[in-house]
Amino acid sequence: MQRICVDMDEVMADTLAEYLRRYNQAFDEEVTPEDLAGIDLWKTAPVDRQRQLRAFLDAEDFFEVLDVMPGAQQVLQQLSTRFEIYIATQAMVIPNSLGPKYRWLQRHFPFIPPAHYVFCGDKSILRADYLIDDQSRNLVSFEGQGLLYTAPHNLAVTGFLRVNNWEEVAAYFAGIPF
Amino acid sequence: MQRICVDMDEVMADTLAEYLRRYNQAFDEEVTPEDLAGIDLWKTAPVDRQRQLRAFLDAEDFFEVLDVMPGAQQVLQQLSTRFEIYIATQAMVIPNSLGPKYRWLQRHFPFIPPAHYVFCGDKSILRADYLIDDQSRNLVSFEGQGLLYTAPHNLAVTGFLRVNNWEEVAAYFAGIPF
């Protein structure tokens, strides 16, 4: 059985929406995902906001309350009958996220066993046939077939097979023979 | 650079010693590691003790207070100049261990970057050249060269390249060309 690794943030979970919710509330702004085309909010934020931005992510509840990306549950459930599904998430830069991410996966993706969770940093460690990820740097170091999941920050990135939503993920794998 | 994955429990950390400390205290016994040759304490414990055994592992402090295996720090520090060192630990059956394991690694192995921590379940997900592990089932599913790190429970296991201590790990890799 072929194996698919799936990133969490911005692929399974709408991390950006929650981040912007807290950002806009804290700084009384109205930044939208559309405003962030090609932009990494983290890197472009003024220096005096950096500590607060980090505090958003360190908050115990942040990674527990994220919305599920539309279609992710249904498509992954279908794919799990034909492929081994592993979750591969960069959790090590925010160790507070380890527990919340575990609980979020159990709640929203109960059909994926915890033995298939991989909380890591550098994704070159993954042995799998496919990796769906919004970070092109993760796809570069991955040795299988990468699929770049569209997010505002990667809109200008080229050179990768791109999927814009979970419908397109389903369509891509429908074309992969058993 | 070739890559070595290293298991934590019973390889880097003396998990069994702490486990027996709590076991003997709770049940007023004097079980020693030598008593456990070929035995998995978890599986052989009476049913009425199973819940308490699990509680040992679930305790917030359990995985933080483990002793480092003799030589692990020195040998891994030396090896890290010639190999990429990744830590690969089964953390998903005891999610309470995620934070403590992270902190333990930072405290005792500060020269290994968190980006090289892999908290996983099934170790067939690892892409690496070597895996040092005390569980033979992890070596079976690993596609590189496995090294079975001796622990009481695996004394009778055959068919694997075996290392009895960190001195032998150092000697093995001293024989691997650059």
Side-chain angles (χ1 to χ4, degrees):
Chain A
M1 209 181 234
Q2 286 194 302
R3 178 178 291 177
I4 305 172
C5 280
V6 187
D7 177 40
M8 284 177 75
D9 297 306
E10 295 301 287
V11 176
M12 297 171 75
D14 196 349
T15 316
L16 182 60
E18 183 62 24
Y19 190 73
L20 285 181
R21 202 171 293 138
R22 299 187 188 211
Y23 184 92
N24 287 331
Q25 190 173 13
F27 302 117
D28 197 22
E29 294 203 13
E30 292 183 15
V31 180
T32 67
E34 290 68 34
D35 295 332
L36 294 176
I39 292 173
D40 184 331
L41 182 60
W42 180 271
K43 289 185 189 139
T44 54
V47 174
D48 61 328
R49 291 186 176 178
Q50 299 277 356
R51 188 175 301 185
Q52 204 158 346
L53 300 189
R54 171 69 195 216
F56 295 158
L57 303 177
D58 276 335
E60 265 298 320
D61 65 334
F62 184 87
F63 287 95
E64 285 218 57
V65 299
L66 303 183
D67 289 337
V68 178
M69 286 289 205
Q73 286 157 320
Q74 298 85 330
V75 172
L76 280 174
Q77 185 135 36
Q78 286 162 11
L79 288 176
S80 69
T81 64
R82 292 182 52 213
F83 296 88
E84 281 188 344
I85 307 295
Y86 277 70
I87 311 302
T89 181
Q90 274 195 307
M92 296 306 171
V93 285
I94 304 165
N96 278 8
S97 73
L98 291 162
K101 278 174 181 258
Y102 185 97
R103 292 189 291 272
W104 188 90
L105 285 169
Q106 287 218 303
R107 186 157 57 245
H108 297 294
F109 294 85
F111 55 90
I112 299 174
H116 285 200
Y117 302 171
V118 187
F119 293 176
C120 59
D122 185 330
K123 292 193 181 175
S124 69
I125 195 67
L126 300 171
R127 184 182 298 279
D129 301 290
Y130 305 93
L131 171 61
I132 308 172
D133 207 300
D134 69 307
Q135 297 284 354
S136 57
R137 67 168 182 276
N138 290 335
L139 301 180
V140 169
S141 61
F142 178 67
E143 291 190 26
Q145 173 67 56
L147 285 84
L148 184 68
Y149 194 96
T150 295
H153 71 84
N154 71 28
L155 285 174
V157 173
T158 58
F160 298 93
L161 194 61
R162 182 183 284 275
V163 283
N164 289 304
N165 49 53
W166 278 94
E167 209 167 33
E168 290 189 18
V169 172
Y172 174 81
F173 286 103
I176 306 288
F178 279 71
Chain B
M1 210 181 235
Q2 286 194 302
R3 180 178 289 177
I4 305 171
C5 281
V6 187
D7 178 39
M8 284 177 74
D9 297 307
E10 295 301 286
V11 176
M12 297 170 74
D14 196 349
T15 316
L16 181 61
E18 184 62 25
Y19 189 74
L20 285 181
R21 204 171 292 138
R22 299 187 187 209
Y23 183 92
N24 288 331
Q25 190 173 15
F27 302 117
D28 197 21
E29 294 204 13
E30 292 184 16
V31 181
T32 67
E34 290 68 35
D35 295 331
L36 293 176
I39 292 174
D40 184 331
L41 182 60
W42 179 271
K43 291 185 188 139
T44 54
V47 174
D48 61 328
R49 291 186 176 179
Q50 298 277 357
R51 189 176 301 186
Q52 204 158 347
L53 299 190
R54 171 69 195 214
F56 294 159
L57 304 177
D58 276 335
E60 265 298 319
D61 63 335
F62 184 86
F63 287 95
E64 285 218 57
V65 300
L66 303 182
D67 288 337
V68 178
M69 286 289 204
Q73 287 158 319
Q74 297 85 332
V75 173
L76 280 174
Q77 185 136 36
Q78 285 162 11
L79 288 176
S80 68
T81 64
R82 291 183 52 213
F83 296 88
E84 280 189 344
I85 308 295
Y86 278 69
I87 311 303
T89 181
Q90 273 193 308
M92 297 307 172
V93 285
I94 304 164
N96 278 8
S97 72
L98 291 163
K101 278 175 180 257
Y102 185 96
R103 292 189 289 274
W104 188 90
L105 285 169
Q106 287 218 302
R107 186 157 56 246
H108 297 295
F109 294 85
F111 54 91
I112 299 173
H116 286 200
Y117 302 171
V118 187
F119 292 177
C120 58
D122 186 331
K123 292 192 181 176
S124 70
I125 195 67
L126 300 172
R127 186 182 298 279
D129 302 291
Y130 305 93
L131 171 61
I132 308 172
D133 207 299
D134 67 307
Q135 297 284 353
S136 57
R137 66 168 182 277
N138 291 334
L139 300 180
V140 169
S141 61
F142 179 67
E143 292 190 26
Q145 172 67 56
L147 285 84
L148 184 68
Y149 194 96
T150 295
H153 70 84
N154 70 28
L155 284 175
V157 173
T158 58
F160 297 93
L161 193 61
R162 182 183 284 275
V163 283
N164 289 303
N165 50 53
W166 278 94
E167 209 167 32
E168 290 190 17
V169 173
Y172 174 81
F173 286 103
I176 306 289
F178 279 71

